[in-house]
């Protein structure tokens, strides 16, 4: 009996001790939960701040992870267990490089504490550094620097002209005389001044005449420059525009009697094709309007697709075939190509047809 009582006493002590241990927890508290760096210059480099914390629990505190909300923030923290009553720290650095403007980032702290997840926050405002000339004008055309070597006129209504300018920067110690090798016939171009002084600036002025372009839809061209008499073909500017028919002046009666372009359907899948094989499909274009439908332009997305409309004028109520041939030579895997058809339908002047296929190679 005495032996049994001794065992029961030992068991009770073990249970009580285990229960007491089970009640022991760590608790993490921070002196500050957020920090504002205020305003600082990008050129000042990384800014850092240390968040101090204390373990106010009764068990050792272990930080399992400290995770920032972005790669621009790099945290370092106390790795060893923090005893009850002891302190630790989390150092957070913010890299402002190429990140001008205000920021507000979080740092999530995970631990074995009873408050196992704590979110810290840093904020501030980065004043942008002054960019170098090479950064502000990253493209080069011979000895000249430009922000871009491409002029996009966007949409231009047929019958309209538009003018754009491109700044030219001469960062060399010698003047650069700018002339032209070739300019597309529907554009005029000039440089002011024609001789850009050393460390000086000029501008290229290009005027686009949509009527003289002789096409509809997207069109791209190049203007080739002559710099100090050089005929290097690399010294060029790309130019593009999307030329659209102007329907804005049509009366309600003209709109009611206008042509209506209708394709049914607008896509076709050739299925499996052996590499090098050619397949054709015919799309039918119907004029559901009351006046003649004019096909202004048909353009495919790649040279592998040949398009042959049977006519460019479709009478009301009539249909015309548009034959499309896809050449799979040099292609492999899933293919999807588009054909753009532009007409004088004022409601739907542009229709996109799509063809697709799965090109098999000999190993497939």
């Amino acid at each position: 009996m005495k032996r049994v009582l001794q065992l029961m006493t030992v068991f009770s002590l073990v249970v009580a001790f285990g229960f007491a241990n089970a009640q022991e927890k760590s608790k993490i508290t921070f002196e500050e939960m957020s920090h504002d760096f205020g305003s600082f210059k990008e050129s000042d480099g990384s800014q850092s701040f240390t968040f101090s914390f204390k373990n106010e629990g009764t068990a050792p505190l272990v930080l399992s992870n400290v995770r920032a909300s972005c790669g621009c923030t790099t945290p370092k923290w106390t790795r060893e267990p923090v005893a009850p009553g002891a302190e630790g720290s989390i150092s957070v650095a913010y890299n402002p490089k190429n990140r001008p403007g205000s920021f507000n980032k979080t740092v999530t702290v995970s631990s074995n504490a009873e408050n196992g997840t704590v979110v810290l926050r840093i904020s501030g405002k980065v004043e942008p550094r002054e960019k170098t000339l090479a950064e502000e004008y990253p493209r080069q055309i011979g000895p000249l620097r430009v922000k871009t070597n491409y002029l996009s006129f966007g949409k231009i209504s047929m019958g309209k002209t538009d003018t754009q300018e491109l700044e030219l920067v001469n960062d060399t110690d010698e003047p650069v005389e700018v002339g032209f090798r070739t300019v597309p016939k529907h554009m005029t171009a000039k440089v002011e001044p024609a001789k850009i002084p050393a460390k000086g600036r000029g501008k290229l002025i290009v005027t686009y005449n949509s009527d003289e372009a002789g096409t509809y839809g997207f069109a791209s061209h190049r203007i080739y420059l002559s710099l100090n008499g050089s005929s290097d073909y690399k010294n060029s500017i790309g130019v593009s525009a999307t030329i659209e028919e102007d329907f804005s002046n049509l009366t309600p009666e003209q709109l009611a009697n206008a042509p209506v372009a209708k394709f049914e359907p607008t896509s076709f899948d050739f299925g499996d094709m052996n590499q090098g094989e050619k397949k054709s499909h015919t799309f039918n274009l119907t004029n559901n309007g009351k006046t003649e439908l004019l096909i202004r332009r048909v353009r495919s997305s790649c040279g592998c697709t040949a398009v042959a409309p049977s006519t460019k004028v479709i009478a009301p109520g009539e249909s015309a075939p548009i034959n499309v041939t896809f050449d799979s030579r040099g292609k492999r895997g899933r293919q999807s190509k588009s054909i753009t058809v532009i007409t004088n339908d004022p409601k739907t002047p542009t229709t996109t047809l799509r063809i697709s296929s799965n090109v098999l190679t000999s190993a497939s």
Side-chain angles (χ1 to χ4, degrees), residues 313-329:
V313 181
I314 305 173
E318 298 295 323
S319 297
I322 295 182
N323 189 56
V324 177
T325 301
F326 174 68
D327 184 352
S328 66
R329 181 177 49 188

Side-chain angles (χ1 to χ4, degrees), residues 76-329:
K76 296 180 181 179
W77 66 92
T78 302
R79 299 281 181 167
E80 62 274 7
V82 179
E87 296 183 346
S89 64
I90 297 174
S91 180
V92 178
Y94 181 79
N95 184 357
K97 186 176 180 181
N98 297 325
R99 297 183 178 96
S102 299
F103 65 90
N104 194 323
K105 306 297 179 183
T106 59
V107 178
T108 303
V109 182
S110 302
S111 71
N112 67 333
E114 60 182 31
N115 51 335
T117 301
V118 177
V119 178
L120 307 175
R121 192 174 297 276
I122 60 170
S123 59
K125 183 177 181 180
V126 180
E127 298 176 11
R129 63 178 172 79
E130 187 176 348
K131 290 185 177 181
T132 65
L133 187 69
E135 288 175 320
E136 193 172 357
Y137 298 87
R139 303 287 185 181
Q140 283 189 274
I141 304 174
L144 300 176
R145 282 194 171 275
V146 291
K147 289 185 177 180
T148 176
N149 57 2
Y150 190 87
L151 288 176
S152 175
F153 281 85
K155 295 179 180 179
I156 304 179
S157 295
M158 182 64 75
K160 304 292 185 181
T161 61
D162 194 9
T163 299
Q164 288 196 22
E165 297 181 358
L166 179 66
E167 189 175 19
L168 307 174
V169 178
N170 179 10
D171 192 34
T172 71
D173 297 323
E174 300 291 337
V176 177
E177 186 169 357
V178 184
F180 298 95
R181 289 179 55 206
T182 58
V183 178
K185 62 179 179 61
H186 58 286
M187 300 181 210
T188 59
K190 61 180 179 179
V191 174
E192 296 179 351
K195 181 177 285 188
I196 303 175
K199 304 298 181 183
R201 298 175 185 235
K203 57 184 177 181
L204 170 67
I205 305 169
V206 178
T207 298
Y208 197 108
N209 187 318
S210 61
D211 265 349
E212 294 181 3
T215 190
Y216 287 84
F218 180 79
S220 62
H221 309 271
R222 299 201 77 81
I223 295 175
Y224 291 91
L225 305 177
S226 173
L227 304 179
N228 290 330
S230 169
S231 58
D232 190 342
Y233 72 94
K234 294 180 182 178
N235 298 333
S236 65
I237 298 287
V239 182
S240 70
T242 299
I243 302 171
E244 298 182 334
E245 193 161 353
D246 186 3
F247 300 106
S248 61
N249 294 322
L250 294 182
T251 66
E253 183 181 1
Q254 287 173 321
L255 287 172
N257 292 313
V260 177
K262 183 66 175 179
F263 283 96
E264 191 67 43
T266 58
S267 63
F268 182 78
D269 190 343
F270 288 113
D272 289 345
M273 294 178 63
N274 294 319
Q275 193 175 59
E277 186 180 3
K278 293 182 181 180
K279 285 189 177 182
S280 297
H281 175 72
T282 298
F283 290 97
N284 281 306
L285 172 58
T286 301
N287 180 5
N288 287 340
K290 298 178 180 179
T291 53
E292 287 184 338
L293 179 69
L294 307 179
I295 298 177
R296 300 296 195 190
R297 186 184 178 191
V298 180
R299 180 174 61 89
S300 59
S301 61
C302 78
C304 58
T305 306
V307 185
S310 61
T311 182
K312 291 192 174 182
V313 181
I314 305 173
E318 298 295 323
S319 297
I322 295 182
N323 189 56
V324 177
T325 301
F326 174 68
D327 184 352
S328 66
R329 181 177 49 188

